[in-house]
Amino acid sequence: MRYIALLRGINVGGKTMIKMTELKAGFEALGFRNVVSYINSGNLAFDANETAEDKLVSKIEKAIEKDFGLQIQVMVRDRSAIENVLENNPFNGKFETHKEMHVLFMKGEMPEDKQKQLLEKNTVTEQFAIRGREIFALLKVGVADSVLGKGFIEKKLKVPVTARNWRTVQKIVDL
């Protein structure tokens, strides 16, 4: 089974630096096969026997803490889940570049009350849609000036996410 691991917040801001070659070697040491990384921001694809994603998350997070001394949130999806994200984007045809479209991956589904709070933030230039464990974000204002960039989802709603722009989501499905 092919899986994608999405690591939150590595190699940004200088605090959580991990060389991708070392991270890849760590994944291989866990027994994962055909490990491939994409760009320097914590996107790794790997083969493993079919396993519950939460078990893979736990295994990876513990290994990163042991190997690198860092507590990093990891979201894991099988390849079909990423394909589903690409096929079911509620904002298809509404963005001009990959920089306007983002997908935020969560570990689990967002509670209804928090979904409501996020959807209340929708404007003409900043729109969110929630599908399962993903938040789709169409940001005509750019990330820095958005609810996402201001940390509303993690700080106010207390929902850990890791975000990828549309181009990255398109690339990781083929790793």
Side-chain angles (χ1 to χ4, degrees):
M1 179 75 111
R2 191 77 172 156
Y3 292 95
I4 311 293
L6 305 159
L7 284 66
R8 183 187 171 279
I10 71 162
N11 299 336
V12 291
K15 293 181 182 177
T16 53
M17 303 301 290
I18 302 176
K19 290 182 180 176
M20 297 312 301
T21 53
E22 293 174 9
L23 189 58
K24 182 178 181 251
F27 270 57
E28 290 167 344
L30 291 172
F32 301 146
R33 301 170 307 281
N34 303 316
V35 180
V36 179
S37 66
Y38 174 70
I39 62 177
N40 204 34
S41 58
N43 308 293
L44 292 106
F46 60 95
D47 293 336
N49 294 334
E50 191 169 346
T51 306
E53 289 175 3
D54 59 336
K55 289 183 181 180
L56 292 171
V57 165
S58 178
K59 187 175 185 177
I60 294 166
E61 286 179 347
K62 285 176 185 173
I64 291 171
E65 186 167 7
K66 179 180 168 268
D67 295 346
F68 303 101
L70 298 170
Q71 292 183 339
I72 302 292
Q73 296 251 358
V74 177
M75 286 51 162
V76 171
R77 302 292 190 271
D78 66 39
R79 178 181 276 157
S80 67
I82 303 295
E83 291 168 346
N84 188 50
V85 166
L86 291 169
E87 292 167 6
N88 294 294
N89 181 349
F91 301 116
N92 267 341
K94 296 182 180 174
F95 55 96
E96 294 176 28
T97 75
H98 71 277
K99 293 178 183 179
E100 294 177 349
M101 187 66 230
H102 302 267
V103 180
L104 289 70
F105 296 89
M106 302 178 283
K107 284 193 177 182
E109 291 192 19
M110 182 185 285
E112 252 182 70
D113 62 321
K114 293 181 180 190
Q115 287 186 36
K116 184 179 178 208
Q117 289 177 61
L118 177 59
L119 296 177
E120 286 172 351
K121 297 290 185 183
N122 279 350
T123 66
V124 173
T125 59
E126 187 171 12
Q127 296 177 39
F128 299 93
I130 302 145
R131 301 287 187 272
R133 297 180 295 160
E134 283 77 42
I135 301 168
F136 293 81
L138 178 61
L139 306 176
K140 299 284 186 176
V141 296
V143 174
D145 296 322
S146 71
V147 166
L148 173 61
K150 294 176 181 167
F152 178 80
I153 295 168
E154 290 192 313
K155 292 177 186 171
K156 172 76 173 158
L157 299 181
K158 306 235 184 284
V159 174
V161 297
T162 188
R164 300 296 186 272
N165 70 38
W166 193 245
R167 178 182 293 160
T168 298
V169 177
Q170 290 174 308
K171 296 284 186 181
I172 61 176
V173 77
D174 293 325
L175 294 180

